[in-house]
Amino acid sequence: MDDLLTRLRAGLPADAVLTDPDVTVSYSRDMASFCRAGTPAVVVLPRTVEQVQHVMRTATALRVPVVPQGARTGLSGAANADDGCIVLSLTRMDRILEINPVDRIAVVEPGVVNAALSRQVEAAGLYYPPDPSSWETCTIGGNIGTASGGLCCVKYGVTAEYVLGLDVVLADGRLLSTGRRTAKGVAGYDLTRLFVGSEGSLGVVVRAVLALRPRPPRQLALAAEFPSATAACAAVCAVMESGHTPSLLELMDRTTIRAVNRLARMGLPDSTEALLLAAFDAPDPAADLAAVGELCTAAGATQVVPAEDAAESDLLLQARRLSLTALETVSTATMIDDVCVPRSRLAEMLDGTAAIAAAYGLTIGVCAHAGDGNTHPVVCFDQADPDEARRARASFDDIMALGLELGGTITGEHGVGVLKKEWLARELGPVGLELQRGIKRTFDPLGILNPGKLF
């Protein structure tokens, strides 16, 4: 321990090395439930690429595990510390280095907060689409590590589609540059995409070149109330089949609606079994909304309420943004799932989740990025009740199994981390798992980078 601290301090400012147990314990875990977290030996907060390289060289020399971290808003345990590890927090590397309107790129450090980048880019007349629910606090490095998504994915896609190039410090301290600044480029294997979603297990991202888009018009939204989740999912299928391209298409089930009503007095009818929110950011969104409203009515909507302006749209969308917060008030703990299924199987996913909730005697609310089939079942339980906690964990596994049965994936945007290691192996199969472990060994032969995550 003394040798580790001596070596780290030789290349880092004094305030960048934290050893007080009362402080370092606060860096031990992210926001995931049911995920073990260890006690770090030290937390380091570098400000430069060279300082990150120094940390990794020290870790390699001493064979000490390193857990890279951002804002710790993740939901899979991917940022959880191991006993005796170096926690490498990148939150102080928070500079926006460049915004280029001609090339439509931004160059940023990993600790830049998503919302801060989005606002600065918007001021330049541009748009960075990925917007996770935690966008006010989550960092770009964390978004890249987990390949995060957000509400706008149905039209604009996820983080992976906006990462053009990366600077990455490898396990032995070498600096690797991947990708490009150009609009096109196919030279060699796509190592950039390999790092996106790797959860800090292959290298430490220290700089990113991100693609930007022209700033779209303010979106206009509508809310449609349905007597069943099945009817709401039928409307989702009709919207997508008809060729519409909404900027947002979100769904909340009855449990979520009632939790939001209790929290924020939104005035949503208790009789509503499902609420569908659609928005368009086209130059003339009113025509698109009218067409979608008709499709919702045809699918069985009991009421369709279009917003008249951007302010009303923001009010409608506030209910969706409050979903997870509202469900957290239902019980003492929540376990947030992340299962993505084909849109055509969305109704089966929601109905199956409701059946699982009934079978285990639990409250499980579902909010979903319905336009891309990404559901977030939220299991509410009393963590002080061992039996209820056991049932919560069992219901989570049943939901995972259901998603795979429906041709889906165990995670659309939250990542694998510790929480879904077993389920990743089931989804990949033995051949896929063997090859992915081989890639891990190539980049991290000593196994010191975020060990115990993913595999």
Side-chain angles (χ1 to χ4, degrees), residues 3-269:
D3 189 19
L4 172 63
L5 296 179
T6 298
R7 293 197 188 200
L8 288 173
R9 285 171 175 150
L12 293 168
D15 69 347
V17 181
L18 308 181
T19 58
D20 183 340
D22 291 335
V23 176
T24 58
V25 71
S26 66
Y27 289 83
S28 63
R29 61 169 59 250
D30 63 17
M31 298 177 69
S33 301
F34 294 107
C35 293
R36 181 191 174 277
T39 302
V42 59
V43 175
V44 296
L45 296 102
R47 292 187 183 276
T48 68
V49 173
E50 292 75 19
Q51 289 173 6
V52 175
Q53 291 180 281
H54 171 71
V55 172
M56 294 312 306
R57 290 182 186 123
T58 301
T60 292
L62 298 178
R63 306 299 198 263
V64 178
V66 177
V67 177
Q69 284 185 354
R72 302 190 308 280
T73 58
L75 294 163
S76 68
N80 284 10
D82 287 347
D83 287 330
C85 77
I86 299 170
V87 164
L88 178 56
S89 174
L90 298 157
T91 53
R92 290 184 181 176
M93 297 181 69
D94 60 356
R95 294 179 299 162
I96 298 174
L97 302 171
E98 179 184 354
I99 295 176
N100 189 318
V102 175
D103 294 332
R104 293 183 181 171
I105 61 169
V107 182
V108 305
E109 291 182 328
V112 171
V113 172
N114 184 295
L117 174 63
S118 297
R119 290 180 180 122
Q120 193 160 328
V121 162
E122 185 178 15
L126 296 167
Y127 179 41
Y128 180 66
D131 63 340
S133 295
S134 58
W135 78 304
E136 291 283 5
T137 52
C138 66
T139 62
I140 295 299
N143 294 169
I144 291 170
T146 58
S148 59
L151 301 186
C152 69
C153 295
V154 62
K155 179 174 182 178
Y156 292 105
V158 297
T159 295
E161 295 168 65
Y162 294 88
V163 182
L164 298 177
L166 295 170
D167 285 356
V168 182
V169 175
L170 299 176
D172 59 7
R174 288 179 296 165
L175 183 64
L176 169 70
S177 293
T178 74
R180 63 194 194 279
R181 291 171 58 102
T182 55
K184 296 191 293 184
V186 292
Y189 295 128
D190 192 348
L191 295 182
T192 303
R193 280 286 184 120
L194 185 60
F195 282 104
V196 178
S198 65
E199 300 183 16
S201 65
L202 302 179
V204 182
V205 172
V206 291
R207 191 166 298 161
V209 180
L210 305 174
L212 304 176
R213 291 189 175 223
R215 185 176 61 199
R218 290 289 301 275
Q219 62 183 1
L220 203 61
L222 67 73
E225 299 170 16
F226 289 88
S228 69
T230 300
C233 293
V236 170
C237 293
V239 170
M240 301 310 294
E241 185 178 11
S242 64
H244 291 288
T245 309
S247 56
L248 175 148
L249 193 58
E250 298 287 308
L251 186 148
M252 299 158 58
D253 74 348
R254 65 177 298 185
T255 301
T256 307
I257 293 167
R258 291 180 178 183
V260 170
N261 266 342
R262 284 193 300 269
L263 177 67
R265 303 184 187 277
M266 297 292 290
L268 302 171

